[in-house]
Amino acid sequence: MLLTLEWKNNYLLLIDQTKLPTKLSYVKCKNYLEVADAIKKLVVRGAPAIGVTAAFGLALAALNSKTDNLKIFFEELNDAYEIIRSTRPTAVNLQWALNRIMQKINHLTNIPLIKKVIVEEAILMAEEDISTNKSIGINGAKLFSDGDTIMTHCNAGSLATVAYGTALGVVRAAKESGKKINVIATETRPVMQGSRLTAFELQHENINVCLIPDTAVGHIMAKGMIKHVVVGADRILHTGHVFNKIGTYQLAILAKTHNIPFYVVAPSSTFDLKNHPNDIVIEERSKEEVIKIGKKAVAPKNIDVINPAFDMTPPELITKIITEKGILSPPYNRSIKKLMK
Ligand code: MRU
């Protein structure tokens, strides 16, 4: 199984996802600015993975601090917090991870102890990410039968987490329980997480995967080729509204039209109990991602472009939400409240 990130005592090692699928290479982050840069450039991406990466970013900020003045130390840490937090706005796991670290240390006054506690907490979060995904997998695998074909969008696999994955973790768990599962992956324009990452990681583990253009989703569903749709999430509101990779919303509408169950798979760290749909910032990415494929221009240079990275799927299109604590059913405002208690 691919290990997306690895703590090496004084640096963080990340699979460079911008180079996949042609090259499996690594980026070394020795300070928090390198961590922020890696998140921004999508060297590491996927909500749970950027959360844990952010935690190690704070660990590096703490370890690299030279001061023995507690006030200055916390100022440095808060600067790092702000820079890492501002890298990507939509996935709630990033903020969740940074807050979890800050809450763990904000009452402490001994700098060497704070450094130790931050590193230990970040390591614990990385370990928990894997065990959480395995529990999600066990819960979700029950929904699938031997021989099922599942459609997925973007990459909610090992590469979007520390390892194992959320949506693809369910596929892995079903396979581990002896079921044969086939995956149909959408390309996921414009960054191609489906073709570059999902196709790569499933092939890497000998899980049957077939790639389709995003534009073929309706056709493939209408042909009766899909038993379930399984996607990850960047943020799930207490109302059950799900923010995930752009294109998820249209997949959910098409699934509803064709009576195909639409499952969202996420850990409890992806739930946002405070905000409402209109409060959420949808990351808008560069025009370059749309007007070029690799280095090749596929649109006129001076064309206007809208390039949102995420969209919102309303609760009425979601059949179940699969978490490590159990499977949620509608009405989600009630089931989410009960789960998060
Ligand atoms: O822009 P990305 O690649 O970070 O977007 C990733 C997604 O939208 C995933 O589906 C989501 O983070 C869930 S990953 C377990």
Side-chain angles (χ1 to χ4, degrees), residues 150-172:
I150 293 165
M151 180 178 278
T152 192
H153 186 58
C154 189
N155 172 266
S158 286
L159 289 163
T161 59
V162 177
Y164 206 76
T166 58
L168 297 187
V170 174
V171 172
R172 267 189 189 96

Side-chain angles (χ1 to χ4, degrees), residues 164-274:
Y164 206 76
T166 58
L168 297 187
V170 174
V171 172
R172 267 189 189 96
K175 190 188 169 210
E176 283 162 15
S177 72
K179 295 171 192 162
K180 189 173 179 301
I181 303 291
N182 305 302
V183 177
I184 291 200
T186 57
E187 280 180 303
T188 322
R189 273 279 291 152
V191 179
M192 314 299 254
Q193 288 93 334
S195 58
R196 292 189 308 104
L197 309 176
T198 295
F200 171 82
E201 87 166 63
L202 293 181
Q203 260 197 351
H204 188 81
E205 286 178 47
N206 290 322
I207 296 177
N208 272 352
V209 56
C210 172
L211 190 62
I212 58 163
D214 298 322
T215 40
V217 169
H219 174 74
I220 303 279
M221 286 185 181
K223 287 260 177 202
M225 292 166 70
I226 306 296
K227 205 65 189 286
H228 316 266
V229 178
V230 187
V231 296
D234 286 84
R235 190 186 286 252
I236 303 175
L237 303 189
H238 50 99
T239 49
H241 289 80
V242 168
F243 290 79
N244 192 47
K245 179 53 53 196
I246 191 75
T248 302
Y249 175 42
Q250 61 204 34
L251 232 75
I253 292 175
L254 283 163
K256 182 96 173 174
T257 302
H258 295 96
N259 278 321
I260 300 169
F262 185 89
Y263 303 131
V264 173
V265 188
S268 47
S269 54
T270 301
F271 285 81
D272 171 356
L273 302 184
K274 270 206 307 251

Side-chain angles (χ1 to χ4, degrees), residues 1-19:
M1 199 169 38
L2 295 161
L3 205 51
T4 302
L5 57 103
E6 235 180 310
W7 178 244
K8 298 282 192 185
N9 284 330
N10 54 356
Y11 68 89
L12 181 67
L13 196 65
L14 299 170
I15 290 184
D16 185 349
Q17 300 193 32
T18 64
K19 300 284 189 314

